[in-house]
Amino acid sequence: MQYDEFANLFNKTIFEKSKIDLLKKIAKYPARYVGLFRPSQPKTKIIQNLLQSHEIRFGDAFEALVEKYLVESGYTILEKKFSNGSKSRLDVDQIFSKENSVFFVEQKIRDDHDSAKKRGQIDNFEKKIAVIKKKYESSMIKGFFYFVDTSLSKNQKFYEEEIAKLSRGYGVPLKLIYGSALFDNLGHGQVWPEILEHLKKWQQSIPELPEINFDKDAQESFDEIKQLPPSTYTKLFSNHKLDELLRVLFPSGRALALLADYFAQQHQSTNRRKYKTLQDMCAETAKRLAGK
């Protein structure tokens, strides 16, 4: 895989739509961001939220990356969503095949879970083993419990013992693996050094802290956040307790001005009252934040 493709995948998965997600969370859980019983200022809380979101999305990006490498290596990607017979749904991180063999992977970034979390991880893994064995009973099945980061192996002994029990109980070869071992086991050991090389280069390209000024590139911010449902904007603009926080996100009001124009255009083209209401609320909020 070329570096540009690698970087585009990570940037798109991790950073795209992060502004939308942030505004949704603020609208839905305003008390998590403002109030006297908070040890941080709104700006700090926003940065914390974005950094946490980026960490979660990093795992999503790595899943997508592994899948691309699997396709390049000649594997067929199988349906990842399963039902375990109840209303709940199971999503397998990776499941793929070659010839008469089916491989599945439970993929995590790092092995640093606490006691309750690590037990839950194994229980979830067992549910996936059961449904996969049932669906692919005529195939050779092999499973991996995979941690990407080799620097942490807090619960290695626990996982090894539990996975050995599952392997014996279900009659399915299962392995606990870290880092390069996934590709080594599949016979594509050259992939891991390439991933590490691309990852080091990509890390040097990303900013030290996420950009929280939506007005810095107002047009880009507008193009993203205009997709939010009207109810989200109603919650944001009607809650004056969020003004200090919104002032951090929209310091000059440029993105808000673009939103107000957009709502006006939507009102003209659809004649729906809600867009006129949103236009007025947006304009009023911009004036309020500017102290006018």
Side-chain angles (χ1 to χ4, degrees), residues 17-30:
K17 294 187 178 180
S18 60
K19 294 175 182 176
I20 281 183
D21 288 347
L22 175 64
L23 291 180
K24 282 182 178 178
K25 290 175 183 176
I26 293 171
K28 189 173 182 179
Y29 308 107

Side-chain angles (χ1 to χ4, degrees), residues 18-34 42 45-47 49-50 212 214 228 232 235-237 239 241-250:
S18 60
K19 294 175 182 176
I20 281 183
D21 288 347
L22 175 64
L23 291 180
K24 282 182 178 178
K25 290 175 183 176
I26 293 171
K28 189 173 182 179
Y29 308 107
R32 294 182 181 179
Y33 295 85
V34 295
K45 187 62 180 177
I46 293 169
I47 291 174
N49 184 282
L50 287 173
I212 62 172
F214 286 16
L228 283 165
T232 298
K235 292 176 182 177
L236 289 171
F237 297 151
N239 188 349
K241 293 180 180 179
L242 295 175
D243 282 2
E244 187 177 355
L245 189 147
L246 293 177
R247 198 172 283 115
V248 172
L249 299 175
F250 305 101

Side-chain angles (χ1 to χ4, degrees), residues 79-92 127-128 130-132 134-135:
E79 175 58 49
K80 296 182 176 184
K81 301 183 187 301
F82 292 82
S83 172
N84 64 353
S86 63
K87 293 183 179 179
S88 61
R89 189 185 71 185
L90 296 172
D91 292 338
V92 179
K127 292 176 184 177
K128 295 176 183 180
V131 296
I132 291 170
K134 182 178 180 180
K135 183 170 182 177

Side-chain angles (χ1 to χ4, degrees), residues 29-275:
Y29 308 107
R32 294 182 181 179
Y33 295 85
V34 295
L36 288 175
F37 300 99
R38 287 285 168 197
S40 56
Q41 295 294 328
K43 183 175 181 179
T44 304
K45 187 62 180 177
I46 293 169
I47 291 174
Q48 288 174 342
N49 184 282
L50 287 173
L51 289 174
Q52 183 181 35
S53 176
H54 293 168
E55 285 286 333
I56 294 170
R57 290 182 176 208
F58 181 83
D60 297 336
F62 226 98
E63 282 186 26
L65 178 72
V66 169
E67 182 173 305
K68 278 188 172 290
Y69 273 111
L70 291 171
V71 172
E72 288 183 3
S73 300
Y75 293 93
T76 299
I77 305 302
L78 304 176
E79 175 58 49
K80 296 182 176 184
K81 301 183 187 301
F82 292 82
S83 172
N84 64 353
S86 63
K87 293 183 179 179
S88 61
R89 189 185 71 185
L90 296 172
D91 292 338
V92 179
D93 295 331
Q94 309 287 350
I95 182 165
F96 48 98
S97 67
K98 181 176 280 190
E99 299 172 350
N100 194 43
S101 296
V102 172
F103 307 85
F104 68 97
V105 181
E106 181 72 4
Q107 181 175 320
K108 309 296 177 186
I109 293 298
R110 55 189 63 88
D111 176 6
D112 61 350
H113 300 137
D114 58 24
S115 297
K117 187 72 177 288
K118 70 183 184 183
R119 182 70 258 172
Q121 298 288 348
I122 286 294
D123 292 343
N124 188 48
F125 189 48
E126 181 175 5
K127 292 176 184 177
K128 295 176 183 180
I129 296 168
V131 296
I132 291 170
K133 183 178 180 181
K134 182 178 180 180
K135 183 170 182 177
Y136 296 103
E137 57 184 352
S138 62
S139 301
M140 296 291 294
I141 303 171
K142 188 171 185 178
F144 300 100
F145 200 90
Y146 176 45
F147 290 102
V148 175
D149 190 345
T150 59
S151 66
L152 290 168
S153 55
K154 177 181 177 182
N155 303 298
Q156 183 173 355
K157 183 178 180 181
F158 167 81
Y159 285 128
E160 285 176 340
E161 292 174 351
E162 293 299 317
I163 289 170
K165 291 178 188 176
L166 293 176
S167 186
R168 291 191 298 270
Y170 285 90
V172 174
L174 303 171
K175 276 188 178 182
L176 172 68
I177 54 175
Y178 296 79
S180 65
L182 175 63
F183 298 100
D184 292 339
N185 274 272
L186 296 174
H188 299 281
Q190 77 283 359
V191 168
W192 188 250
E194 182 175 285
I195 288 177
L196 296 182
E197 181 181 350
H198 288 342
L199 191 58
K200 288 176 184 177
K201 184 175 180 180
W202 175 78
Q203 280 191 334
Q204 293 172 358
S205 73
I206 59 177
E208 184 175 352
L209 291 173
E211 179 57 65
I212 62 172
N213 179 355
F214 286 16
D215 289 327
K216 187 173 183 179
D217 190 332
Q219 185 64 50
E220 179 184 279
S221 296
F222 162 73
D223 289 339
E224 179 179 334
I225 66 177
K226 70 179 181 181
Q227 304 172 47
L228 283 165
S231 59
T232 298
Y233 282 114
T234 300
K235 292 176 182 177
L236 289 171
F237 297 151
S238 63
N239 188 349
H240 291 205
K241 293 180 180 179
L242 295 175
D243 282 2
E244 187 177 355
L245 189 147
L246 293 177
R247 198 172 283 115
V248 172
L249 299 175
F250 305 101
S252 70
R254 288 195 294 271
L256 290 177
L258 292 173
L259 274 175
D261 290 343
Y262 170 72
F263 293 139
Q265 293 168 12
Q266 291 296 104
H267 179 245
Q268 290 174 2
S269 63
T270 66
N271 200 32
R272 298 179 70 176
R273 179 64 190 173
K274 68 177 181 180
Y275 290 113

Side-chain angles (χ1 to χ4, degrees), residues 243 247 253 256 280-292:
D243 282 2
R247 198 172 283 115
L256 290 177
D280 293 342
M281 292 182 71
C282 189
E284 173 59 31
T285 299
K287 290 181 181 178
R288 199 169 65 242
L289 297 183
K292 297 179 181 179

